Amino acid sequence: RRSEPPTGFQQDRSRPPLFLTIEMLASRRAGFLLLCLVLLAPEALGLVIVPHTFADPQSTRFNVQRASYKPLRTLRGGAPSMDLSPSFGMKVLAPLMGNIIGTSMFLSSVPAVLKARKENDRGSLNITPFAAQMGNCASWLFYAIHVMNWWIIVPNSLGLVIAAFYTLSTYHLLQPSEKATVFKTFALYATLFGAVNAGLYTGLIPWSAKDAYGYMANFCLLFFYAAPLTSLADVIKTKDASSIDPLLAGCGVANGAFWATYGLAIKDPYVWVLNLVGAGLSTLSSCARLVFGKPDTKTK
């Protein structure tokens, strides 16, 4: 007796077979992990074929001498010594606070995700942005690993793992249209990463690897920051800011400010420009919360 495919997949013949196959994989944990590996495959490709910043331009990452890696010096932001000077504050304390605040923001959804996973009910939890968080963190890992900056590698590695856990734990609670959105998000990021690495390898991209990865990371971060603008416009239109979490908005301001300070200190525009924009957008959200507040507070 041959086994029949799941009913949902058997009935819906309007969607492409490839999408149905990927959705079947994603409905199983092992399959979903396979999809995550597909998303990160260009990361491995970039590590192998793209020349490293510290190496000879014609060499690959596997040929880089271990002496080129100086984690402690990089962790200190390149400072020859650690003291209480302004340089220490901008190159060590600022990224340290950025790491702590950023990781705390990544972990802020843990209670809601665990509750949804336990009760098998998502409630008001918005799950689809977790895929964008994975793509954003992965894009920054390209840049951070290339320039070997551990301040950026650590939080984005944690953010990638946390977002993968969120998506894996709640994917089965999504509606079919939302699953399609998650799939398209994965496909978009994977295509972007693959195209950039292929362009660098073939020479079709005229920039250096650092510039290409920097532009790519900033593009993904801009896309990530632009997502809340729609809700901010709704807040201004309805004069109801109850959807804005003041704590998260305040953390966004501090996180962007710390990373922008660090980027200015190490003279890296790829780090400070978009983080400064993010701090500004979070400031707008905080101001909207202060101005409009909740509807019930305005009627009393």
Side-chain angles (χ1 to χ4, degrees):
R1 182 181 178 182
R2 95 189 146 98
S3 59
E4 296 293 336
T7 306
F9 300 107
Q10 185 180 18
Q11 291 179 348
D12 191 353
R13 300 183 183 277
S14 60
R15 289 179 289 174
L18 177 61
F19 177 80
L20 294 176
T21 302
I22 293 177
E23 187 172 347
M24 291 179 67
L25 284 173
S27 64
R28 296 167 174 81
R29 293 190 177 185
F32 191 87
L33 291 177
L34 178 62
L35 293 181
C36 294
L37 290 177
V38 170
L39 175 66
L40 296 178
E43 180 85 43
L45 180 67
L47 289 175
V48 174
I49 67 175
V50 177
H52 195 281
T53 299
F54 296 109
D56 183 85
Q58 301 301 321
S59 65
T60 61
R61 290 181 185 274
F62 285 157
N63 297 329
V64 178
Q65 296 180 356
R66 289 295 176 181
S68 298
Y69 292 90
K70 300 177 180 179
L72 183 58
R73 186 176 178 83
T74 304
L75 194 63
R76 293 175 175 177
S81 62
M82 296 181 66
D83 50 32
L84 296 181
S85 65
S87 177
F88 173 72
M90 297 177 69
K91 293 183 178 180
V92 178
L93 294 183
L96 177 61
M97 293 303 299
N99 271 258
I100 294 173
I101 295 174
T103 304
S104 300
M105 293 175 68
F106 286 144
L107 293 172
S108 63
S109 297
V110 167
V113 169
L114 293 180
K115 181 180 179 181
R117 183 181 181 183
K118 180 180 180 181
E119 299 178 356
N120 204 33
D121 180 15
R122 58 183 290 187
S124 59
L125 178 64
N126 189 6
I127 299 170
T128 52
F130 296 147
Q133 179 181 326
M134 288 184 65
N136 179 61
C137 291
S139 68
W140 275 103
L141 282 176
F142 277 103
Y143 180 75
I145 293 174
H146 185 78
V147 300
M148 218 49 206
N149 189 320
W150 287 97
W151 285 123
I152 305 176
I153 291 175
V154 172
N156 283 286
S157 299
L158 292 174
L160 181 62
V161 172
I162 293 169
F165 169 74
Y166 288 164
T167 310
L168 178 62
S169 300
T170 56
Y171 185 83
H172 64 285
L173 301 177
L174 292 173
Q175 299 296 324
S177 61
E178 294 174 318
K179 290 182 179 180
T181 301
V182 171
F183 164 70
K184 291 176 182 178
T185 302
F186 275 118
L188 176 63
Y189 281 111
T191 302
L192 175 63
F193 298 161
V196 170
N197 280 295
L200 288 172
Y201 182 66
T202 59
L204 294 177
I205 294 180
W207 307 319
S208 66
K210 178 182 178 181
D211 289 335
Y213 287 148
Y215 287 134
M216 183 180 72
N218 275 256
F219 173 79
C220 294
L221 185 59
L222 180 63
F223 178 76
F224 189 71
Y225 277 149
L229 289 180
T230 303
S231 60
L232 185 60
D234 292 336
V235 167
I236 297 175
K237 182 179 179 180
T238 60
K239 294 181 172 50
D240 177 11
S242 57
S243 61
I244 297 178
D245 188 329
L247 180 60
L248 284 180
C251 288
V253 175
N255 183 62
F258 280 123
W259 281 113
T261 301
Y262 174 62
L264 288 169
I266 62 174
K267 297 180 175 60
D268 191 338
Y270 297 121
V271 176
W272 71 261
V273 172
L274 261 294
N275 279 292
L276 191 61
V277 172
L281 292 176
S282 297
T283 301
L284 289 177
S285 297
S286 300
C287 292
R289 176 70 183 193
L290 291 173
V291 172
F292 299 113
K294 297 181 178 181
D296 56 351
T297 60
K298 294 177 69 65
T299 57
K300 289 184 181 181

